[in-house]
């Protein structure tokens, strides 16, 4: 046994006798079976579909291994247009959602805490309201509402989808921002800012926003993910142009090229995952807990 | 406050109003209950409702158990570790983005030409497609697991983080075993949050249509499919109003689930804040 190993063994013995402390000095124990087993199950579930999709996306229509599915994505003008359209919608909705929810959450926390439970109830609704029911309602609206309103909303894909995606984004944005705002000393910040002569607009966007940056970004990225994946409204409302996920469905169902759909899935998944993954490092540097931000 | 209220009313309230209004209207706009009597008497609609409820039941309870177990395993680990970050970001992406895209990942794995199907066929000479199709209720349900588990992780992680280590230490000091602590302290504190999260999963599975739309063009026999068929039916007069009535039926069921959720969630707030 070398000297270093001896010291290590000794340290291990001493630390093993120390009372279990929390934080970074907790002695390393063997992970328990109940933890390892579920991690293996879940990792297995997702690795199977991830690896299968990668392999599947690399097989061309003629059965050979190549990158033709990926080049089909980048060469198709329709796909490029749909990707741009989806990113545009995602950007608009994410920005609008922050503009709407940040002042609302701050106001409720500061002045109207009685409304908190109503906000929670209202903002959980879009998770369970069936998108197909929204489609049914809009269908009815198209038949009976005044014509100017119908053309204003449904003549362009962005105006038809963005308002409803904004509703779908409320649960994500509310919970993200609320977690962020709860972690800062809101009263002091607002009082200080107001005493120095700042108006409400300045207070919210130049004092509070930088303090809840990670939470806001978390909400925005989840909103982007949502906009890039939503298909029920985008597909069934019979809109003038296709969004990215609708294009994805058409490759599989109409064009009989599921390989391209799977390649599009992988690319968009990678994009949104990286957005959120980078965010977790940002969150750590600012000393916030990430799990609360992304929820 | 005002802009928030206006937007919720305009873009959530108005579509729901049109559904309910349409459900009680004839195709010329008069009042009727015929749409509802069609919804509750025709065998095809009742079958779709039963299929949807059964599907939502097993795709909420199964993922709830797996998700709770997995979240507990993650929370017990290092809060700043790489694993925690990957799980946090992946569950966000999978839960919110994934209805349709996940369907293609499932096709690529378990579909007719899917990697797993082909692999099993060449290894064991068993053709999975004889017994399992991704374009069936079972296939759709399997896909639901892939976004319901992350959704459960997102919903229960705050509750699990709210379990104080002091409670376990106190219980241990009073002579409790770990099993006793789990059964007498952790389980009662967590139960309302877990039940509430499971109810949300049920609602989300019951309402989902994106997966079915992507997997097979939206033809499996659940309520959203019947709504879609009724809405796009231009042959039978008044059929769209039956679609609206089916929509109203879904709203009603989701509302019941949400009321239950509300009561359970209020209990959850007692210990975990």
């Amino acid at each position: 046994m070398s000297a270093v190993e001896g010291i290590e063994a000794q340290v291990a013995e001493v630390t093993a006798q120390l009372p279990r402390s929390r934080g970074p000095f907790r002695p390393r124990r063997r992970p328990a079976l109940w933890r390892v087993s579920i991690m293996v199950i879940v990792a297995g579930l997702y690795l199977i579909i991830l690896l299968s999709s990668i392999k599947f996306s690399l097989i061309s229509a003629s059965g050979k291994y190549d990158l033709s599915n990926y080049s089909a994505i980048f060469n198709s003008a329709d796909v490029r247009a749909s990707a741009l359209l989806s990113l545009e919608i995602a950007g608009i909705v994410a920005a609008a959602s922050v503009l709407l929810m940040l002042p609302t959450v701050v106001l409720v926390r500061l002045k109207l805490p009685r409304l908190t439970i109503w906000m929670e109830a209202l903002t959980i609704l879009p998770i369970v309201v069936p998108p197909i029911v929204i489609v049914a309602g809009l269908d009815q609206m198209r038949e009976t509402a005044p014509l100017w309103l119908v053309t204003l909303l449904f003549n362009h894909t962005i105006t038809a989808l963005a308002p409803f995606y904004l509703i779908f984004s409320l649960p994500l944005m509310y919970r993200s921002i609320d977690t962020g705002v709860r972690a800062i000393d809101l009263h002091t910040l607002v009082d200080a800012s107001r005493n120095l002569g700042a108006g409400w607009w300045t207070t919210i966007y130049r004092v509070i926003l930088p303090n809840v940056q990670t939470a806001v970004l978390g909400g925005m990225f989840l909103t982007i993910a949502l906009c890039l994946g939503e298909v029920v409204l985008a597909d069934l409302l019979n809109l003038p142009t296709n969004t990215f996920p609708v294009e994805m469905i058409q490759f599989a169902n109409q064009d009989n090229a599921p390989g391209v759909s799977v390649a599009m899935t992988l690319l968009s998944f990678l994009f949104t995952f990286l957005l959120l993954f980078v965010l977790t490092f940002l969150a750590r540097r600012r000393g916030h807990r990430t799990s609360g931000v992304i929820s | 406050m005002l802009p928030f209220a206006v937007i919720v009313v305009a873009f959530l309230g108005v579509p729901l109003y049109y559904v309910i209004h349409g459900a009680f209207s004839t195709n010329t706009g008069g009042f009727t209950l015929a749409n509802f009597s069609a919804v509750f008497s025709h065998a095809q609609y009742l079958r779709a409702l039963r299929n949807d409820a059964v599907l939502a039941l097993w795709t909420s309870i199964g993922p709830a158990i797996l998700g709770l177990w997995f979240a507990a395993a993650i929370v017990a680990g290092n809060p700043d570790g790489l694993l925690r970050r990957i799980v946090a970001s992946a569950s966000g992406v999978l839960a919110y983005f994934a209805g349709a895209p996940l369907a293609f990942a499932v096709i690529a794995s378990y579909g007719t030409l899917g990697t797993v199907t082909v692999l099993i066929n060449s290894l064991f000479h068993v053709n999975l497609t004889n017994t399992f199709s991704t374009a069936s209720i079972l296939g759709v349900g399997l896909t639901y697991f892939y976004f319901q588990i992350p959704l459960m992780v997102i919903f229960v992680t705050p509750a699990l983080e709210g379990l104080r280590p002091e409670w376990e230490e106190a219980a241990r000091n009073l002579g409790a075993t770990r099993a006793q602590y789990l059964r007498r302290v952790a389980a009662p504190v967590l139960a309302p949050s877990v039940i509430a999260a499971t109810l949300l999963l049920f609602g989300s599975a019951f309402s989902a249509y994106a997966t079915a739309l992507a997997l097979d063009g939206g033809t499996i026999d659940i309520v959203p499919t019947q709504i879609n068929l009724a809405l796009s039916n231009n042959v039978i007069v008044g059929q769209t109003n039956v679609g609206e009535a089916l929509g109203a039926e879904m709203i009603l069921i989701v509302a019941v689930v949400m009321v239950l959720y509300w009561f359970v969630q209020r209990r959850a707030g007692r210990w975990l804040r």
Side-chain angles (χ1 to χ4, degrees), chain A residues 34-35 46 52 128 136 284 291, chain B residues 69 73 85 146 161 207 244:
Chain A
W34 72 270
R35 289 188 58 202
Y46 286 96
S52 299
V128 288
R284 188 201 183 185
S291 56
Chain B
W69 185 5
R85 288 147 192 274
Y146 281 99
E161 283 175 339
S207 318
E244 307 297 330

Side-chain angles (χ1 to χ4, degrees), chain B residues 63-158:
Chain B
I65 295 169
L66 289 173
L68 173 66
W69 185 5
F70 184 63
I74 295 298
V75 170
N78 177 4
D80 288 320
L82 191 66
L83 183 68
R84 186 71 161 263
R85 288 147 192 274
I86 293 177
V87 169
S89 8
S91 46
V93 178
L94 289 165
Y96 294 116
F97 149 81
L102 264 180
F104 294 114
V106 165
I107 289 177
S109 315
Y110 310 108
T112 327
L113 295 170
T115 313
V116 174
T117 314
V118 172
L119 194 69
I120 286 181
N121 202 3
S122 64
L123 284 181
F124 309 110
H125 302 287
V126 176
N127 192 352
L128 271 185
T129 45
N130 291 337
T131 49
F132 173 79
S133 158
T134 52
S136 65
I137 291 199
L138 195 63
V140 170
L142 174 77
T143 315
Y144 284 6
F145 265 66
Y146 281 99
F147 65 81
Q148 295 276 69
I149 293 173
L151 205 54
M152 185 68 182
V153 171
I154 290 173
F155 288 147
V156 296
T157 298

Side-chain angles (χ1 to χ4, degrees), chain B residues 192-193 195-196 199 255-270:
Chain B
S193 308
I195 295 170
L199 284 168
V256 170
V257 172
M258 288 318 283
V259 169
L260 286 176
Y261 166 83
W262 190 236
F263 279 114
V264 180
Q265 183 65 31
R266 294 196 65 148
R267 276 195 68 96
R270 195 173 293 171

Side-chain angles (χ1 to χ4, degrees), chain A residues 119-131 134 164-172 226, chain B residues 8 12 204 207 258:
Chain A
M119 287 296 291
E120 276 170 12
L122 210 58
T123 52
I124 205 83
L125 273 185
I127 293 187
V128 288
V129 168
I134 304 283
F164 304 101
Y165 288 3
L166 179 60
I167 294 287
F168 293 153
S169 80
L170 294 182
L172 322 175
L226 182 126
Chain B
V8 170
L12 185 62
S204 126
S207 318
M258 288 318 283

Side-chain angles (χ1 to χ4, degrees), chain B residues 171-203:
Chain B
R172 290 298 191 92
N173 283 343
L174 291 170
T177 61
R178 184 162 170 81
Q180 277 175 323
Y181 159 73
L182 286 176
R183 199 160 56 88
R184 297 279 181 80
V185 181
V189 170
L190 286 179
S193 308
V194 171
I195 295 170
T198 311
L199 284 168
L200 280 186
L201 292 198
F202 181 89

Side-chain angles (χ1 to χ4, degrees), chain A residues 155-222:
Chain A
N155 264 19
H156 200 288
T157 307
I158 294 181
T159 50
L161 292 178
F164 304 101
Y165 288 3
L166 179 60
I167 294 287
F168 293 153
S169 80
L170 294 182
L172 322 175
M173 202 50 91
Y174 176 77
R175 295 186 58 177
S176 293
I177 294 183
D178 195 50
T179 312
V181 168
R182 235 187 290 179
I184 63 173
D185 192 350
L186 190 63
H187 281 274
T188 313
L189 277 178
V190 171
D191 288 346
S193 163
R194 301 282 289 157
N195 281 345
L196 291 170
W200 276 109
W201 188 257
T202 318
T203 303
I204 286 178
Y205 289 99
R206 296 191 50 189
V207 177
I208 296 173
L209 182 61
N211 277 290
V212 293
Q213 216 177 39
T214 12
V216 167
L217 278 178
M220 288 179 84
F221 290 165
L222 288 177

